[in-house]
Amino acid sequence: MPRAKNGRFAKAQNVAKVEKLVERTAERKKKRSIAKAAKLLMAEDEPTMLVAVGRRVVELDTLAKELWCSDCNIPLSLRNLEKEQQMGLASIMTVRCGECLAEYAVHTSKKVPNLNGGKDLYSSNCKAALGCIDSGMGPEILKKFLSTLNIPVLHTHTYQRAHDFISEFVVKAADESCKEAIEKEKRLALELLLEKGTYKDMLFNSEALCP
């Protein structure tokens, strides 16, 4: 049992009070640390004077290729971003050259031709739809995930177009995989019959019955 200042043993009731006080102090420090960390994270996402804020999913090779002024032969800067058109995870950014003031349409994702007709799709949206199919994650969960990262979400129509497009390839790949598996099973079964001699006996009997 702990001793008091005068050398006597402290009462159990007083010890319990001290322990509770220590726990409350530690809890307050923990809450202050969490609040401070949350404040720092929120500060990263505070709006600025830029036209586009937040985070984007970009294809680096596409962005590097299109952030270039062909007239001045110099790179373009996102500081000269005039406007942004969002299409799910993809964007078309209008960037002005700092020298000749010409405007360029800069894509953040490659286009994918729509084989069924209609507007072209974007690779990033199709990849997101494929990821949802593969993981079993629905579009609503995807929206929550993207919004938490401060990334523009895929609206229902945009997601559905990408989902319908990619589903055809998924079904086709599944059918081909099933056919390959069936052919493999047939081949293995035939090899097993030949190994045991059963297949030769079957051929001999069939020839005897049907000369």
Side-chain angles (χ1 to χ4, degrees), residues 90-147:
S91 295
I92 300 178
M93 299 181 177
T94 302
V95 183
R96 187 182 298 276
C97 176
E99 292 292 330
C100 65
L101 303 182
E103 292 184 351
Y104 289 87
V106 178
H107 297 77
T108 61
S109 177
K110 295 183 180 71
K111 283 187 176 183
V112 179
N114 192 343
L115 303 179
N116 298 325
K119 295 181 180 179
D120 289 338
L121 303 170
Y122 285 91
S123 175
S124 54
N125 295 335
C126 293
K127 291 284 187 179
L130 179 60
C132 287
I133 294 173
D134 188 44
S135 64
M137 181 172 63
E140 294 303 320
I141 298 177
L142 177 63
K143 284 183 181 179
K144 292 179 181 179
F145 178 76
L146 293 174
S147 61

Side-chain angles (χ1 to χ4, degrees), residues 43-117:
E44 292 182 359
D45 296 334
E46 286 182 356
T48 64
M49 296 303 292
L50 295 175
V51 174
V53 295
R55 297 175 177 85
R56 300 292 184 273
V57 177
V58 301
E59 296 182 24
L60 294 177
D61 56 341
T62 302
L63 193 66
K65 181 180 178 181
E66 298 196 5
L67 275 176
W68 191 265
C69 178
S70 56
D71 294 332
C72 303
N73 201 29
I74 59 173
L76 302 173
S77 173
L78 290 179
R79 290 180 178 272
N80 298 325
L81 178 64
E82 296 291 328
K83 62 181 179 179
E84 178 190 20
Q85 182 183 359
Q86 296 176 0
M87 288 156 291
L89 295 179
S91 295
I92 300 178
M93 299 181 177
T94 302
V95 183
R96 187 182 298 276
C97 176
E99 292 292 330
C100 65
L101 303 182
E103 292 184 351
Y104 289 87
V106 178
H107 297 77
T108 61
S109 177
K110 295 183 180 71
K111 283 187 176 183
V112 179
N114 192 343
L115 303 179
N116 298 325

Side-chain angles (χ1 to χ4, degrees), residues 120-181:
D120 289 338
L121 303 170
Y122 285 91
S123 175
S124 54
N125 295 335
C126 293
K127 291 284 187 179
L130 179 60
C132 287
I133 294 173
D134 188 44
S135 64
M137 181 172 63
E140 294 303 320
I141 298 177
L142 177 63
K143 284 183 181 179
K144 292 179 181 179
F145 178 76
L146 293 174
S147 61
T148 302
L149 291 172
N150 200 13
I151 296 174
V153 301
L154 279 81
H155 295 293
T156 304
H157 178 68
T158 304
Y159 174 83
Q160 195 61 48
R161 287 182 65 240
H163 183 276
D164 294 343
F165 174 78
I166 208 70
S167 294
E168 295 182 11
F169 294 94
V170 173
V171 172
K172 185 178 179 180
D175 290 341
E176 291 178 355
S177 178
C178 289
K179 290 178 181 178
E180 290 177 1

Side-chain angles (χ1 to χ4, degrees), residues 27-47:
E27 188 67 24
R28 283 197 295 268
K29 288 183 179 179
K30 182 179 179 181
K31 288 182 179 179
R32 283 198 296 267
S33 299
I34 294 174
K36 186 177 180 180
K39 187 176 180 180
L40 290 173
L41 289 173
M42 291 296 292
E44 292 182 359
D45 296 334
E46 286 182 356

